[in-house]
Amino acid sequence: MKRPFAITVYLTALIICVAMAVSSAAVKIPSAPQQSAASVSAPFRATIDEAELKTEYLSIPLGNTQIISVPKAYETLVTGWTSSNKRIVSVDSGGRADALAEGTATLTAKLDTDQSMDFEVTVTKEEEQPQQDKFSTAITANQSVLEKNYDETDEEDLDELYEVHVNRTQSCVTVYTYDDHGDYTVPVRAMLCSCGKNNSTVTGEFEIYFKSEWHALYNEVYGQYISGITGDFLFHSVPYAKMSDNASLEIEEFNKLGSEASLGCVRMTVEDTRWIYENCPIGTTVKIYDSNTPEPLGKPAAIKINGSGLGWDPTDRQSGNPYNSRLPQITGAKDMTITQGSEYLPKDGITAADTCGSDITESIEVTGNVVTTRKGKYKVTYSVTDVLHRTNSVDVWITVS
């Protein structure tokens, strides 16, 4: 499902939003305590000049969420919100608008002056989202340049499409394609790796010289998606205890990715070694070096297997992998009723775990606008995305009574 824009909510006695203009992006709700009502002043008006109540017009892409703002001077006069067509745009008591279908609906902020403010909302075509690989922690970039180069490269010259750089110091592999001058300066993919302990991985410039889907390694273990660098130095997956047995992964070694761990080879997740195996043919240049200078795309985060006992690499696309259908999980989010004027902390008691069960509570984003001084029902969305680019969300309703 689409990930909503995060919306800042200041849980204050009198302030609903902090800007006159309608924001085009959602903002995270802070979990800080509410401000005191005494710290906010707003002019009292028995009525508002009708000229100031003109209809505002705005658009929201389908599937997105937005907080509708009234002029600051009138924030304390709002008593509730309605929608002329809830099938197109729904709105809660805090002015949170959810775009549900293409079309137009009028959202109305009712005021305690027996007046109202209208916002005509047009729900536009859904925004096209970049496709994310949900089987890899890799960072990708410059895909349009890569596509152009690929289209212009003959099949027999595909070994010239990429250059693979391995930074031993940072345990990071960065793949480049060429620029308009033919130099390999355009980074397209960064992947986490483990090089050899005690700098045992060879340095220098090499060319991939052989491929094997499975191959025996030292100490009677086996690797998947092998690409030979030079001699016994290889790109390969984290070791398995059994040949061609995807459920015999050495989990302890997998959790070392991102630090020195191998006997000299360059280890990566199954998905990342598979990418090199399938996209970097024999003859592709490989450069291995040490550098403290950050790589251009950064170093991807690691996903850790947290005591699941499943024996699979979580990035393995092979059918039968129990991780393939898993998503991060959010715990503790539920509907609740609070007393008008009481404190509401949106992240209190809410936790999250990634696809492999590791804690990612700090990554939770909260979307909503709970006004504790106004009776009503407020929709709050908790969402989280893990390093495998997998997202989950939970909607709850907060009733202020």
Side-chain angles (χ1 to χ4, degrees), residues 183-241:
D183 298 320
Y184 292 90
T185 63
V186 183
V188 295
R189 188 178 181 92
M191 299 172 283
L192 196 68
C193 73
S194 285
C195 292
K197 293 178 285 188
N198 302 316
N199 291 328
S200 57
T201 300
V202 67
T203 59
E205 183 171 328
F206 313 96
E207 291 184 356
I208 292 176
Y209 73 97
F210 92 97
K211 301 274 187 174
S212 179
E213 188 169 346
W214 283 88
H215 198 275
L217 307 174
Y218 287 113
N219 296 332
E220 298 183 348
V221 294
Y222 306 89
Q224 191 173 182
Y225 296 120
I226 311 299
S227 295
I229 302 170
T230 182
D232 292 335
F233 295 94
L234 318 168
F235 289 111
H236 65 72
S237 70
V238 172
Y240 291 82

Side-chain angles (χ1 to χ4, degrees), residues 43 106 133 136 249 327 363:
T106 299
D133 185 350
S136 174
L249 181 74
L327 295 174
S363 298

Side-chain angles (χ1 to χ4, degrees), residues 50-274:
E50 291 295 326
E52 300 182 46
L53 298 177
K54 62 180 184 295
T55 300
E56 299 286 343
Y57 297 88
L58 60 144
S59 61
I60 307 175
L62 178 63
N64 289 326
T65 296
Q66 195 165 297
I67 297 295
I68 309 301
S69 302
V70 301
K72 187 174 182 179
Y74 309 139
E75 288 173 345
T76 61
L77 303 179
V78 177
T79 60
W81 289 82
T82 60
S83 171
S84 66
N85 193 330
K86 296 178 182 179
R87 291 178 297 178
I88 294 175
V89 185
S90 66
V91 66
D92 72 357
S93 299
R96 167 182 164 151
D98 288 278
L100 305 177
E102 290 186 45
T104 300
T106 299
L107 304 185
T108 300
K110 295 182 178 180
L111 310 177
D112 67 4
T113 60
D114 292 328
Q115 297 169 293
S116 61
M117 303 186 73
D118 289 337
F119 298 82
E120 187 173 299
V121 179
T122 299
V123 178
T124 58
K125 186 177 180 180
E126 184 176 357
E127 291 180 334
E128 187 173 342
Q129 300 294 324
Q131 294 296 315
Q132 290 281 12
D133 185 350
K134 294 179 172 54
F135 290 89
S136 174
T137 63
I139 301 169
T140 58
N142 300 308
Q143 296 302 293
S144 60
V145 177
L146 176 57
E147 289 172 9
K148 173 179 175 292
N149 288 354
Y150 183 83
D151 290 341
E152 296 175 352
T153 302
D154 294 331
E155 187 173 352
E156 62 268 20
D157 295 326
L158 286 177
D159 60 335
E160 299 176 1
L161 181 60
Y162 297 110
E163 191 171 272
V164 182
H165 292 195
V166 181
N167 187 334
R168 296 192 314 178
T169 305
Q170 297 186 35
S171 300
C172 183
V173 175
T174 305
V175 181
Y176 292 81
T177 193
Y178 52 84
D179 58 25
D180 291 338
H181 303 289
D183 298 320
Y184 292 90
T185 63
V186 183
V188 295
R189 188 178 181 92
M191 299 172 283
L192 196 68
C193 73
S194 285
C195 292
K197 293 178 285 188
N198 302 316
N199 291 328
S200 57
T201 300
V202 67
T203 59
E205 183 171 328
F206 313 96
E207 291 184 356
I208 292 176
Y209 73 97
F210 92 97
K211 301 274 187 174
S212 179
E213 188 169 346
W214 283 88
H215 198 275
L217 307 174
Y218 287 113
N219 296 332
E220 298 183 348
V221 294
Y222 306 89
Q224 191 173 182
Y225 296 120
I226 311 299
S227 295
I229 302 170
T230 182
D232 292 335
F233 295 94
L234 318 168
F235 289 111
H236 65 72
S237 70
V238 172
Y240 291 82
K242 300 176 182 178
M243 175 74 84
S244 302
D245 184 351
N246 298 67
S248 64
L249 181 74
E250 294 189 343
I251 293 174
E252 183 178 351
E253 295 302 307
F254 180 90
N255 286 341
K256 293 177 183 178
L257 283 172
S259 60
E260 293 183 354
S262 77
L263 297 179
C265 291
V266 181
R267 297 176 180 173
M268 293 185 290
T269 65
V270 162
E271 179 62 18
D272 291 339
T273 53
R274 175 180 177 268

